[in-house]
C-alpha cells in the first residue's frame, strides 16, 4: 500500500509560479510511475504530467507543456510539479497518483491517489 500526500497549493495571480509536492510513504519501491492530474469544478479529472521513477522520463499534457515541469527526489520519495506562467484556466484541485508500472496518461490506471491540493489562479 502506498500513501500519497500533496502540498503546496494556494491562491496565486496569473503569471506567478508555484511548486507542488507529493510525498509517498508505505510500500514504495523503485520501479513505479507517478503522475499529476487535475480537476476543475464541473469538469472531468485530466492528465497533467507523468514521470517514470527510474530514469525520470516525463510526459506532459499539451496545455501545460513548456510551463510545467515534473521531477522527483528519490531519496525523499517526493514528486514535484513546478508550475510557471500560471493561467486562470490552471485553477483546479491537483492530485498525485502512483502505480507499480510505467507512467500512464489515464487516471483509471492509477490505484493510489493523494487527497489533492487546491490551486487557484486569479486574473
Amino acid at each position: 500500500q502506498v500513501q500519497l500526500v500533496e502540498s503546496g497549493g494556494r491562491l496565486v495571480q496569473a503569471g506567478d509560479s508555484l511548486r507542488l509536492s507529493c510525498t509517498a510513504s508505505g510500500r514504495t519501491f523503485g520501479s513505479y510511475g507517478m503522475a499529476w492530474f487535475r480537476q476543475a469544478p464541473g469538469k472531468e479529472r485530466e492528465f497533467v504530467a507523468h514521470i517514470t521513477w527510474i530514469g525520470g522520463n516525463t510526459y506532459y499534457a499539451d496545455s501545460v507543456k513548456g510551463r510545467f515541469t515534473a521531477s522527483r527526489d528519490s531519496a525523499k520519495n517526493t514528486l514535484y510539479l513546478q508550475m510557471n506562467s500560471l493561467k486562470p484556466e490552471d485553477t483546479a484541485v491537483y492530485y498525485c497518483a502512483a502505480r507499480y508500472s510505467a507512467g500512464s496518461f489515464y487516471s483509471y490506471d492509477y490505484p493510489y491517489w493523494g487527497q489533492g491540493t487546491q490551486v487557484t489562479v486569479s486574473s
Side-chain angles (χ1 to χ4, degrees):
Q1 194 76 2
V2 176
Q3 292 81 43
L4 303 172
V5 178
E6 303 99 333
S7 61
R10 60 183 177 90
L11 171 65
V12 296
Q13 293 188 332
D16 284 353
S17 296
L18 194 62
R19 189 177 80 161
L20 305 182
S21 300
C22 172
T23 300
S25 61
R27 188 189 173 194
T28 58
F29 49 87
S31 183
Y32 57 97
M34 295 187 74
W36 290 99
F37 288 80
R38 66 185 182 186
Q39 188 166 18
K43 295 187 177 181
E44 293 187 354
R45 192 167 297 188
E46 66 172 357
F47 169 77
V48 175
H50 76 71
I51 186 168
T52 301
W53 206 254
I54 301 296
N57 296 321
T58 53
Y59 302 88
Y60 299 95
D62 288 343
S63 58
V64 306
K65 200 173 293 182
R67 298 188 299 123
F68 290 11
T69 302
S71 62
R72 84 275 187 259
D73 184 328
S74 300
K76 296 181 179 180
N77 275 333
T78 299
L79 172 71
Y80 300 102
L81 184 67
Q82 177 66 44
M83 305 185 293
N84 299 328
S85 302
L86 282 160
K87 305 175 181 180
E89 51 264 43
D90 294 318
T91 295
V93 177
Y94 284 72
Y95 298 90
C96 70
R99 67 192 297 244
Y100 292 128
S101 184
S104 168
F105 300 102
Y106 305 105
S107 60
Y108 54 72
D109 282 336
Y110 292 87
Y112 304 107
W113 291 84
Q115 81 289 350
T117 186
Q118 176 71 49
V119 173
T120 303
V121 184
S122 64
S123 58

